Amino acid sequence: MTATTAGDTAGITETELVIGGMTCASCAARVEKKLNRMDGVRATVNYATEKARVAHADGVTVDDLVATVEATGYTAKPPPPPEAPAEAPAAGRTPKKQGPDPLLHRLLVTAALAVPVIALAMVPAWQFDHWQWLSLTLAAPAVVWGGWQFHRAAWTNARHGAATMDTLISLGTLAALLWSGWALFFGEAGMPGMTHPFSLSIERGGGDDAIYLEAAAGVTAFLLAGRYFEARAKRRAGAALRALLDLGAKEATVLRGSAETRVAIADLAVGDRFVVRPGEKIATDGVVVEGTSAVDAALLTGESVPAEVAVGDAVTGATLNAGGRLVVEATRVGADTQLARMAKLVEDAQSGKAAAQRLADRVSAVFVPVVLALAVATLGFWLGNGAELTAAFTAAVAVLIIACPCALGLATPTALLVGTGRGAQLGILIKGPEALENTRRADTVVLDKTGTVTEGRMTLARVTTAPGTTEAEVLRLAGALEHASEHPVARAVAEAAAERPGGPLPGTEDFTNVPGLGVTGVVEGHAVIAGRERLLNDWALALPAPLAEARAAAESRGRTAVAVAWDGEARAVLEVADAVKATSPEAVRRLRALGLTPILLTGDNAAAARAVADEVGIDEVIAEVLPEEKVEVVRRLKAEGRTVAMVGDGVNDAAALATADLGLAMGTGTDAAIEAADLTLVRGDLRAAADAIRLSRRTLHTIQGNLVWAFGYNVAALPLAAAGLLNPMLAGAAMAFSSVSVLANSLRLRTFRADTGR
């Protein structure tokens, strides 16, 4: 992936930039607004992925864009290519261990400094002589160094005439620290034997003997914890692209004359011929020029049955050669391959998905300027009415501290932490707050068939025998013959036969694989044939009417029919299919109970899809779609006004999962699907999809309740602080109580039960 993609149409170039320094959604809006003011520039900035996608005229350079972002107070640079070989560890080598998380390190140090400060302030019995100076020694680095990112962001915003939650945090904590320092050095708070009683009284006081170090240090530690949990939820942005690219082969065996040479995939060129042995991945898109085989393309197309390929057939990179040796001529390499195009689809879908505006940031857009104005007005009012400077300043500091949005900052990450922890116990992974809002509005759920509703592997579904032939006899002879083949359909027959009583399967002699048709051989003295009806016809054998009807019925249901004959007579028809998971019908009923309309979406043929849909209770089926078409189906449903949830497990689902309003990936699926989704169902049980949506909805409800409580609490307490009836010590205690209330509300998520949805 390159940072800049020339779209040469009308002289427009598209550039992607990684934006650094954003702390809330309003930061992204500010960068976007600044970029869009440039002539010939159209930009969108995604706070969730911390990236900007900019379409600009040829006269605007990348350096111009970077300079504009930096002038706004943030950093910008092109993203590194995800497939950079220097960053990919060689096979068998241990990846380089990453260093400690700087934000976590800052949080732990700040918490270690803040805890004794809070304890000393809140427990008068522990306040020894000169305890206040120890508190200052611990609180100063906690507030200044621990809260440096808040102070830096507040200063950056101030230089550009803006104010955010960082502004309140910085002003509140610094004001409390500086006032405490004034009281210690110039007031009476620094006197030996000074005590700081914990009082819940509402009264007007001078404040020259009061210190508020515990409020300053505690707010800083609490808010750092909130930022850490938020950052952890966003840390895996872009992993879907790496997972997609990792699916491809890393090397290819290229024919140079008559010699075989191993080369890196990056060195392949169009026209090169390369060898693909059984069990290897096909290196790149191409055409078979030698050999026949069965190619498993389930990860890319969703087809549950490997496709037979021969000379002249096209094959796709990253698919698996499940049969014989192939020689393929490369027709597309690099960014032109189907895998690379799918990676681009995922990238576009993720970048185009607008990050949910955090409710706390929307509130702070109005709340922060109002609080700042109220603090200044409070100071001016009391000074204008003859109050002492200390009393007036105490009231202003109380306004800033009681309004300091600690509970607002904790509302989302604490609920998310408890909700995701409970979800992990139930086999549900919620990636971040951005996914939750759409769970409430979702009205349509698109279900991938292979590996999601079905098992994702071929199994023997039915055996129809001719008169005079037993099922046990058919499976013993056919299973022994198919056991010698590596084809997935053959393995399904062999596994079913091996599970039946009667001892081990007999051996096979004179085994022959007839490409695309079936197999023949001698088992216990019988000349056995198993495969398509055409293979029996080649041996001048015809299916009797009952077996012909069984074959037609099987194919009408989308199943694979295997005809079996021995000793010159057709004996049975075996039906092989991708079996429906036992839990899928119940899962569909649960999804309907949540108000969701299920739709089955698959790359398989219409008959197979319809049969599966009827079995699980789905009315609407969309079949025979390619990966790109799956994305278009999701987009069409969204254009109809639906809020779409998508459940899938394969690479072919990754782009659609990223495009959907809510993506749910089966944990038994590919890394690409899991990384592209918003929720992951670890158990691989579709019933978990209903549990995931219920848990997500409750987590969102908890977040909203936290925000309402935290904001309402501040609004109710602000008049008391402005009236001078709430000293900063009480304001700090009240602020801490609001945080505890938010935490207690979030902990209620631990009572969620998957079986009842409570």
Side-chain angles (χ1 to χ4, degrees):
M1 182 182 70
T2 57
T4 305
T5 304
D8 293 334
T9 304
I12 297 297
T13 300
E14 187 175 275
T15 298
E16 186 178 72
L17 297 174
V18 176
I19 308 298
M22 295 192 298
T23 59
C24 62
S26 59
C27 297
R30 190 172 305 116
V31 175
E32 184 173 305
K33 184 177 180 181
K34 194 75 171 179
L35 286 171
N36 283 323
R37 285 180 177 175
M38 300 175 66
D39 292 334
V41 171
R42 296 190 310 276
T44 57
V45 179
N46 191 320
Y47 170 58
T49 61
E50 298 181 341
K51 289 182 180 179
R53 177 158 290 179
V54 188
H56 55 95
D58 290 342
V60 180
T61 66
V62 175
D63 289 339
D64 295 333
L65 300 174
V66 171
T68 299
V69 174
E70 290 177 346
T72 313
Y74 305 91
T75 63
K77 61 181 180 180
E83 70 273 23
E87 298 180 4
R93 291 177 56 188
T94 303
K96 184 182 293 185
K97 187 176 181 180
Q98 296 183 351
D101 185 345
L103 182 56
L104 178 60
H105 177 259
R106 191 176 294 265
L107 167 61
L108 294 176
V109 173
T110 302
L113 294 171
V115 167
V117 175
I118 296 173
L120 287 173
M122 295 299 181
V123 184
W126 293 353
Q127 295 172 3
F128 53 86
D129 286 345
H130 304 296
W131 68 272
Q132 65 271 43
W133 295 103
L134 174 62
S135 292
L136 177 64
T137 303
L138 296 174
V143 174
V144 177
W145 177 81
W148 180 249
Q149 69 179 76
F150 305 121
H151 309 318
R152 181 177 55 193
W155 173 247
T156 299
N157 293 327
R159 287 193 296 116
H160 295 88
T164 64
M165 286 174 61
D166 291 316
T167 306
L168 274 187
I169 295 168
S170 179
L171 284 178
T173 54
L174 288 178
L177 177 66
L178 293 175
W179 179 259
S180 299
W182 185 92
L184 285 170
F185 286 100
F186 304 105
E188 299 180 4
M191 301 295 293
M194 176 266 187
T195 59
H196 195 180
F198 181 69
S199 173
L200 294 177
S201 62
I202 299 177
E203 58 186 2
R204 186 177 295 118
D208 58 347
D209 61 346
I211 56 176
Y212 319 117
L213 297 172
E214 78 289 345
V219 166
T220 302
F222 276 128
L223 267 295
L224 277 176
R227 288 289 169 87
Y228 169 72
F229 293 131
E230 179 183 7
R232 192 175 68 170
K234 292 165 53 181
R235 199 165 291 156
R236 299 171 71 184
L241 296 177
R242 292 191 295 273
L244 274 174
L245 293 168
D246 284 345
L247 285 171
K250 302 300 183 290
E251 293 183 325
T253 303
V254 178
L255 290 175
R256 307 291 191 195
S258 59
E260 297 182 1
T261 304
R262 296 288 289 178
V263 301
I265 292 299
D267 296 331
L268 270 180
V270 173
D272 281 347
R273 294 191 173 190
F274 56 93
V275 177
V276 187
R277 293 181 172 82
E280 291 183 342
K281 291 180 179 179
I282 296 175
T284 192
D285 298 356
V287 175
V288 177
V289 295
E290 182 182 322
T292 59
S293 183
V295 174
D296 185 354
L299 292 177
L300 291 179
T301 67
E303 290 286 350
S304 55
V305 180
E308 301 286 347
V309 296
V311 174
D313 291 336
V315 292
T316 305
T319 55
L320 184 67
N321 178 17
R325 178 181 182 273
L326 295 175
V327 177
V328 179
E329 182 175 315
T331 56
R332 289 184 298 193
V333 297
D336 295 329
T337 64
Q338 182 174 341
L339 180 65
R341 292 200 306 271
M342 290 177 65
K344 186 65 166 62
L345 277 175
V346 174
E347 180 186 15
D348 292 342
Q350 287 189 330
S351 298
K353 182 188 291 186
Q357 291 290 325
R358 293 284 298 274
L359 292 180
D361 288 320
R362 290 202 295 265
V363 169
S364 68
V366 177
F367 185 60
V368 172
V370 168
V371 170
L372 293 176
L374 183 59
V376 173
T378 298
L379 179 64
F381 174 81
W382 287 111
L383 289 177
N385 282 274
E388 294 183 2
L389 175 62
T390 55
F393 197 71
T394 296
V397 170
V399 168
L400 288 175
I401 291 179
I402 197 63
C404 197
C406 182
L408 280 172
L410 289 171
T412 295
T414 55
L416 187 64
L417 181 67
V418 179
T420 53
R422 180 57 183 151
Q425 294 175 338
L426 301 173
I428 301 164
L429 301 181
I430 304 173
K431 288 196 174 178
E434 294 83 4
L436 301 179
E437 214 166 318
N438 287 323
T439 62
R440 178 185 56 185
R441 298 193 298 263
D443 52 34
T444 302
V445 57
V446 177
L447 303 174
D448 170 60
K449 182 182 77 68
T450 305
T452 301
V453 177
T454 65
E455 295 288 353
R457 60 184 179 84
M458 305 303 292
T459 57
L460 181 64
R462 185 175 181 180
V463 178
T464 302
T465 62
T469 304
T470 66
E471 181 176 322
E473 188 179 12
V474 170
L475 288 179
R476 180 172 176 80
L477 296 179
L481 180 63
E482 297 283 30
H483 183 70
S485 173
E486 293 297 323
H487 195 282
V489 171
R491 287 202 299 269
V493 175
E495 288 172 2
E499 292 172 358
R500 302 295 177 95
L505 295 176
T508 300
E509 300 175 356
D510 298 330
F511 174 82
T512 302
N513 177 36
V514 183
L517 294 179
V519 292
T520 65
V522 177
V523 181
E524 294 185 331
H526 301 284
V528 184
I529 304 169
R532 300 180 185 271
E533 183 180 10
R534 178 181 159 189
L535 180 60
L536 272 66
N537 293 338
D538 290 344
W539 287 74
L541 299 176
L543 289 177
L547 296 185
E549 291 173 2
R551 178 196 59 77
E555 292 179 351
S556 69
R557 292 192 293 268
R559 295 178 174 179
T560 299
V562 179
V564 180
W566 65 81
D567 296 342
E569 184 178 347
R571 307 280 183 163
V573 168
L574 311 180
E575 297 181 26
V576 177
D578 185 9
V580 171
K581 292 181 179 178
T583 58
S584 291
E586 181 185 352
V588 171
R589 287 194 297 271
R590 291 188 182 184
L591 291 169
R592 286 187 183 277
L594 290 172
L596 298 169
T597 301
I599 297 175
L600 189 66
L601 181 66
T602 180
D604 267 354
N605 63 76
R610 184 69 265 171
V612 170
D614 291 341
E615 187 172 347
V616 300
I618 296 177
D619 299 325
E620 188 173 350
V621 176
I622 304 174
E624 299 178 9
V625 293
L626 297 174
E628 295 86 349
E629 294 170 337
K630 287 189 176 185
V631 175
E632 291 304 319
V633 168
V634 172
R635 287 175 178 164
R636 174 174 59 79
L637 293 172
K638 292 173 66 175
E640 293 173 359
R642 305 194 197 189
T643 301
V644 180
M646 168 83 183
V647 186
D649 76 323
V651 176
N652 60 304
D653 303 316
L657 287 168
T659 304
D661 297 296
L662 180 70
L664 298 92
M666 307 296 284
T668 52
T670 66
D671 290 342
I674 292 171
E675 297 297 345
D678 302 301
L679 307 175
T680 299
L681 314 178
V682 178
R683 297 190 308 243
D685 185 343
L686 187 57
R687 290 178 300 181
D691 295 332
I693 291 175
R694 269 200 304 266
L695 176 60
S696 298
R697 287 177 177 178
R698 180 167 169 187
T699 304
L700 175 64
H701 180 74
T702 301
I703 290 173
Q704 292 171 333
N706 286 346
L707 292 172
V708 169
W709 164 258
F711 180 62
Y713 188 88
N714 285 340
V715 169
L718 274 173
L720 291 175
L725 298 175
L726 192 63
N727 62 60
M729 178 61 193
L730 184 58
M735 182 275 301
F737 177 75
S738 69
S739 300
V740 171
S741 300
V742 165
L743 288 167
N745 190 44
S746 297
L747 289 174
R748 293 172 59 240
L749 286 168
R750 293 187 300 179
T751 64
F752 178 86
R753 297 291 182 271
D755 54 344
T756 62
R758 294 185 292 112

